[in-house]
Amino acid sequence: MGISILDFNLTDRSRYHGVYRLRDEDGYEFTDAMEIHVIELKKKLTGEGEVDDWIRFFNVKTEEDLEMIRTRNPGILEAIRELKRMSMSNPVRLWNEAHLKEVRDRRAREAYVRDEGKAEGRREGKAEGLTEGEQRLSELIRRLMEDGRLEDVSLAAEDTAARKRLYREYGIK
């Protein structure tokens, strides 16, 4: 796809946005994947669509014109913000860029600290879980051996369901 934004009138037609596709001499369209959009900025606007909003943006001559653009198009809103930022005096623009950098850096630091905290919490949780689990199993094995239940020791080591049943039987939490 190609987009041509012209600061002159290419055609005599009143339409300011034309879409052109490739066709052979018999009118057979080559493909619908190739289009050329031509936008003629000098022609009179007739609507309130996205193309109209972009034409209004490209035709801005003063800051008042910029303020008059009413749109919800996020691309145009971002372009307006960027144009305003670029239009700032050098010291103000430098201060603004430093401020934006500080905000990005702070967010990155906070995200890093949050991610590291979560990772450390998971590591500690796993370590404590293993320690508690090992203590439970050790208590179960000790009590089974005291009772002479050697087959149940082997069963508890291999079968999770049997181990849970034995924990309940011995009241090990």
Side-chain angles (χ1 to χ4, degrees):
M1 175 169 50
I3 301 174
S4 295
I5 301 172
L6 308 177
D7 197 26
F8 60 90
N9 291 334
L10 180 67
T11 67
D12 292 336
R13 297 174 9 180
S14 62
R15 292 182 50 194
Y16 46 85
H17 176 219
V19 180
Y20 302 91
R21 293 188 174 161
L22 295 176
R23 298 182 182 277
D24 67 12
E25 58 273 357
D26 297 326
Y28 177 78
E29 186 173 61
F30 176 63
T31 176
D32 64 353
M34 291 175 49
E35 292 181 338
I36 299 171
H37 290 252
V38 176
I39 300 171
E40 298 172 76
L41 299 177
K42 296 292 185 188
K43 292 191 175 173
K44 183 178 179 186
L45 298 179
T46 59
E48 296 293 325
E50 282 190 25
V51 173
D52 300 76
D53 289 342
W54 278 109
I55 291 172
R56 285 184 191 90
F57 175 75
F58 286 124
N59 282 331
V60 162
K61 296 204 182 348
T62 67
E63 195 168 334
E64 287 176 349
D65 293 342
L66 197 60
E67 297 299 327
M68 296 296 289
I69 296 176
R70 299 287 176 235
T71 183
R72 292 186 178 150
N73 182 317
I76 294 173
L77 294 172
E78 178 64 25
I80 290 170
R81 279 192 298 275
E82 187 62 22
L83 183 62
K84 286 180 178 180
R85 188 190 68 76
M86 290 170 43
S87 299
M88 294 176 183
S89 66
N90 195 36
V92 174
R93 188 173 66 248
L94 291 174
W95 176 87
N96 184 50
E97 288 172 0
H99 171 72
L100 292 175
K101 181 184 182 312
E102 191 279 325
V103 169
R104 284 190 305 270
D105 290 349
R106 179 172 29 88
R107 287 181 181 158
R109 280 191 306 273
E110 290 171 355
Y112 174 78
V113 168
R114 186 174 41 256
D115 292 345
E116 283 298 306
K118 287 179 182 177
E120 183 177 338
R122 283 192 293 272
R123 286 190 298 273
E124 288 177 3
K126 285 180 182 178
E128 288 176 10
L130 289 174
T131 303
E132 291 172 11
E134 289 172 350
Q135 288 174 354
R136 279 180 80 200
L137 184 56
S138 176
E139 173 70 13
L140 178 61
I141 291 171
R142 184 185 62 73
R143 291 181 61 187
L144 286 170
M145 290 183 73
E146 284 175 358
D147 291 347
R149 296 173 64 179
L150 300 179
E151 287 181 16
D152 284 338
V153 170
S154 177
L155 188 62
E158 296 173 6
D159 186 342
T160 304
R163 185 169 49 249
K164 288 179 181 179
R165 180 179 48 77
L166 290 166
Y167 283 145
R168 281 192 303 275
E169 180 182 330
Y170 279 93
I172 299 171
K173 302 222 185 250

